[in-house]
Amino acid sequence: MVFVVSGAWADDTRNLSVATAGSAGKRIALVIGNDQYSSVTPLKNAVADARAMAAALGKAGFDVTLRTDANLGAMKLAVRQFKARLSGGDEAVFFYSGHGVQLGAANYLLPVDITSDSEEQVKDDAIPLQRLLDDLQDKQVKFALAIVDACRDNPFKGRGRSIGGTRGLAPTSAANGQMVIFSAGSGQQALDKLGDADMDGNGVFTRVFLQEMVKPGIEVHQVLRNVRSRVVQMARSVDHDQMPALYDQVEGDFSFYPGAALPSASLLPGSDGGFSLEDIKKQQAARVQWAAWQAKMRAAFDQAAKFGGSSDLQLAAWDRFLSAYGQDNPFSTDDEKFRAQALGLRAQSASTAEQRQSDEERQRLQAEAAAIEVSVPVMIHIPGRNYELAQFEESQAEWRAVMGNSPSQFKSCGASCPVEQVSWDDIQVFLQKINAMTGRHYRLPTEEEWEYACYGGSQSDYCGGNDMNAVAWTNANSLGLSHPAGQKLANGYGLFDMSGNVWEWVSDCREGNCTRRVVRGGAWNNNPQYAHASYRSRVDTAHHSDYIGFRLARTLP
């Protein structure tokens, strides 16, 4: 687990917001917990840890976005949105609980759809921790915290290949204004439980952290010292070594709950040391004020519960209630019951609103598709061969016209942008439909056909030349997204974007294993080396990603 404090910096989805007096700027948090891994060992406590942390941060005044069992696309999108919301003067928290792996000197956070064929593929399909820390530092917020529970056994161990270290995360370095704490030292494993009799639903580090962070007026350095000491003692009680590793480059103060709680402040002794009822009178006055506050909370709850607006407006009503009544009443538990009920009703409203939006979007796309005449893609005859390839990667508009939906992550890119988030299996359905609609016999190219066409009649580093920037979109020039077709130079055969933008599925099985198929060309999020004309990779046929698309081929009569 990594905890960062910076002075320079699937799903279960919910936003929990609780107002806290005394905060300058906004308090914003992103919480991710991954249990249900498809290709590596599933976890048991990660989602529970994430939900507990989301609730605790909500009580501390953070506007919390929670994602559980997130795939790579969902994690990337959540991190981008989280970063975009931050500005100078804010206080931010990022929490991740799930699998992580050390590759070389770097640490990676794993989405639930991670696969494990090679270190290079894991690097492509995971979230680099250092990049996240760099992004947070760039935002120059007042404080930023990231918590990542990834100090477990290597999930790829024992699979006939060497990927990553045995367990835990690699030591890291903290930039100025950052504090990094790992829940376990290098080579150590963070405990989920203290034994079979331990019925606590949270991991040892998380449960201790939750207990320490709620203490009012305790500065974060002291919180971390307390957490570290308690974790060490608890681990030793079961003959286990676990010492959180701390990297601290932070000056200044931060507290989850600044100041002292009201009951403690109202029970101060008389100044003369003699008999006095002043403290009791203050206690009585406080009870009266809190009773009035509780009555207003009940009335507000009833008002929100009776609100008869649409599901999205009901969602806004519950958000407003939770924001207005987030304080903890020290003299009653009724407030906690109301908040718990409100969160449940909010979740129902959110689900209804999402379903309504989904239905409306589906109807819109179906109507749009019905109004679009399926056009024949522009095909290029490959000289000296008996096949042709599409001049451009399959577009979002062409996919929508055939399939009636829009799966792409980058919808805002436009209709001429390549369709992505389509698996090899999805494309087989697409081919059946477009062939039925057009009377043609489109297919995916073979790998040999793709590579021959890529070179365009001459040998070069990339498909179209040796100047990567002229012919390809990679992470060196893409700004983190895909781009409309045809903006780079074509190769010698007039084919665009054979290198970069999105990987392209081909028909070939990977070394006889037809549950995995070859992809070629590299993508917008890869280093330029992956866009080389000769580079190849392979992916599960059911895999969906925002950096994989395809190009049509057709055998000539």
Side-chain angles (χ1 to χ4, degrees):
M1 180 172 293
V2 180
F3 175 86
V4 179
V5 179
S6 171
W9 173 38
D11 285 344
D12 175 12
T13 303
R14 65 185 73 174
N15 289 82
L16 311 174
S17 178
V18 179
T20 298
S23 295
K26 305 183 298 295
R27 283 189 154 192
I28 300 174
L30 170 63
V31 176
I32 299 175
N34 287 341
D35 275 337
Q36 299 302 315
Y37 286 88
S38 57
S39 298
V40 297
T41 305
L43 299 174
K44 297 180 179 179
N45 290 6
V47 169
D49 286 348
R51 287 175 174 159
M53 184 60 68
L57 290 171
K59 276 199 164 188
F62 286 86
D63 182 358
V64 182
T65 299
L66 174 63
R67 299 285 188 272
T68 60
D69 293 326
N71 60 22
L72 179 60
M75 286 183 67
K76 284 185 173 180
L77 179 61
V79 171
R80 285 198 297 267
Q81 292 175 338
F82 174 55
K83 180 182 176 183
R85 296 176 65 194
L86 298 175
S87 57
D90 290 346
E91 295 174 339
V93 169
F94 172 82
F95 177 94
Y96 168 84
S97 183
H99 274 310
V101 68
Q102 168 190 344
L103 299 177
N107 298 310
Y108 293 83
L109 313 181
L110 307 185
V112 295
D113 56 351
I114 191 70
T115 55
S116 58
D117 286 303
S118 67
E119 287 198 1
E120 293 302 323
Q121 183 166 357
V122 173
K123 289 178 181 178
D124 284 346
D125 294 347
I127 303 296
L129 177 59
Q130 189 58 50
R131 184 184 299 172
L132 173 65
L133 301 184
D134 292 343
D135 287 345
L136 296 179
Q137 185 182 10
D138 290 343
K139 298 305 293 185
Q140 297 185 350
V141 295
K142 182 180 178 182
F143 282 104
L145 302 83
I147 307 170
V148 183
D149 183 6
C151 299
R152 296 180 168 90
D153 281 336
N154 183 346
F156 304 129
K157 183 175 61 176
R159 295 202 167 199
R161 58 180 68 86
S162 177
I163 301 179
T166 303
R167 61 172 52 163
L169 299 177
T172 191
S173 59
N176 289 335
Q178 288 190 347
M179 177 186 294
V180 181
I181 184 171
F182 285 31
S183 64
S186 180
Q188 293 181 340
Q189 179 188 23
L191 289 174
D192 284 334
K193 292 186 177 295
L194 295 173
D196 294 339
D198 184 358
M199 303 305 293
D200 195 300
N202 297 120
V204 173
F205 184 92
T206 299
R207 75 179 73 163
V208 172
F209 195 89
L210 291 169
Q211 293 165 8
E212 293 296 329
M213 68 178 282
V214 299
K215 295 179 179 179
I218 305 299
E219 201 272 331
V220 67
H221 292 84
Q222 186 61 52
V223 169
L224 297 185
R225 284 193 290 270
N226 294 346
V227 169
R228 193 180 195 192
S229 176
R230 290 184 57 193
V231 168
V232 169
Q233 293 176 9
M234 293 172 71
R236 285 177 180 171
S237 72
V238 292
D239 296 323
H240 183 81
D241 290 328
Q242 181 180 346
M243 177 177 287
L246 180 63
Y247 310 88
D248 184 2
Q249 293 293 331
V250 167
E251 294 182 1
D253 297 333
F254 170 83
S255 298
F256 289 98
Y257 291 88
L262 179 60
S264 298
S266 64
L267 291 174
L268 296 175
S271 60
D272 59 3
F275 177 79
S276 173
L277 295 179
E278 289 304 314
D279 55 339
I280 298 178
K281 291 178 181 179
K282 290 179 181 179
Q283 184 82 228
Q284 182 182 31
R287 288 176 183 271
V288 170
Q289 293 177 24
W290 278 107
W293 179 91
Q294 190 66 64
K296 291 180 180 178
M297 183 183 190
R298 176 184 292 274
F301 179 89
D302 291 341
Q303 185 178 357
K306 294 177 181 177
F307 179 68
S310 60
S311 55
D312 58 327
L313 294 179
Q314 291 175 0
L315 183 63
W318 287 119
D319 282 341
R320 185 166 299 179
F321 170 82
L322 290 167
S323 177
Y325 292 97
Q327 290 177 278
D328 183 37
N329 184 346
F331 302 106
S332 174
T333 60
D334 288 348
D335 57 318
E336 297 178 3
K337 296 176 182 178
F338 281 125
R339 276 191 292 271
Q341 293 180 59
L343 286 171
L345 293 169
R346 184 198 181 282
Q348 294 177 19
S349 298
S351 177
T352 303
E354 290 173 2
Q355 183 61 48
R356 177 185 174 187
Q357 292 174 357
S358 176
D359 291 343
E360 291 175 348
E361 176 71 2
R362 182 167 58 255
Q363 292 171 6
R364 183 188 69 79
L365 292 174
Q366 289 173 347
E368 187 176 321
I372 297 175
E373 181 179 356
V374 177
S375 59
V376 176
V378 177
M379 305 295 288
I380 301 293
H381 174 217
I382 305 305
R385 306 296 289 268
N386 70 331
Y387 69 96
E388 57 186 7
L389 282 187
Q391 187 174 29
F392 305 105
E393 293 166 326
E394 192 66 16
S395 71
Q396 295 184 27
E398 290 167 344
W399 180 276
R400 186 165 58 245
V402 173
M403 301 297 287
N405 59 36
S406 181
S408 297
Q409 177 67 46
F410 297 108
K411 294 182 178 66
S412 60
C413 177
S416 66
C417 289
V419 65
E420 15 85 9
Q421 293 277 28
V422 290
S423 69
W424 193 92
D425 296 334
D426 294 336
I427 295 169
Q428 306 315 301
V429 178
F430 172 88
L431 291 172
Q432 292 177 6
K433 289 190 175 183
I434 193 173
N435 289 340
M437 291 175 173
T438 63
R440 296 173 179 249
H441 300 285
Y442 295 113
R443 57 179 173 82
L444 288 177
T446 67
E447 186 175 16
E448 187 277 332
E449 289 173 337
W450 189 97
E451 184 167 324
Y452 183 88
C454 158
Y455 282 111
S458 63
Q459 294 293 313
S460 56
D461 290 341
Y462 304 97
C463 302
N466 295 321
D467 182 357
M468 183 277 295
N469 279 314
V471 299
W473 293 109
T474 70
N475 66 3
N477 58 13
S478 69
L479 301 179
L481 43 83
S482 66
H483 291 264
Q487 292 187 342
K488 296 293 185 179
L489 296 180
N491 73 358
Y493 292 156
L495 301 170
F496 290 87
D497 300 314
M498 292 287 283
S499 284
N501 218 14
V502 294
W503 289 93
E504 298 180 14
W505 290 102
V506 298
S507 62
D508 296 56
C509 303
R510 176 62 173 181
E511 298 172 352
N513 178 9
C514 288
T515 65
R516 305 182 67 75
R517 301 281 175 159
V518 175
V519 292
R520 298 296 299 265
W524 58 267
N525 66 326
N526 295 133
N527 293 329
Q529 69 188 68
Y530 296 102
H532 276 220
S534 61
Y535 194 89
R536 62 199 300 259
S537 188
R538 65 279 186 210
V539 183
D540 287 342
T541 60
H543 182 75
H544 297 80
S545 177
D546 59 6
Y547 51 81
I548 303 179
F550 68 103
R551 183 185 303 264
L552 291 175
R554 192 169 77 98
T555 302
L556 293 174

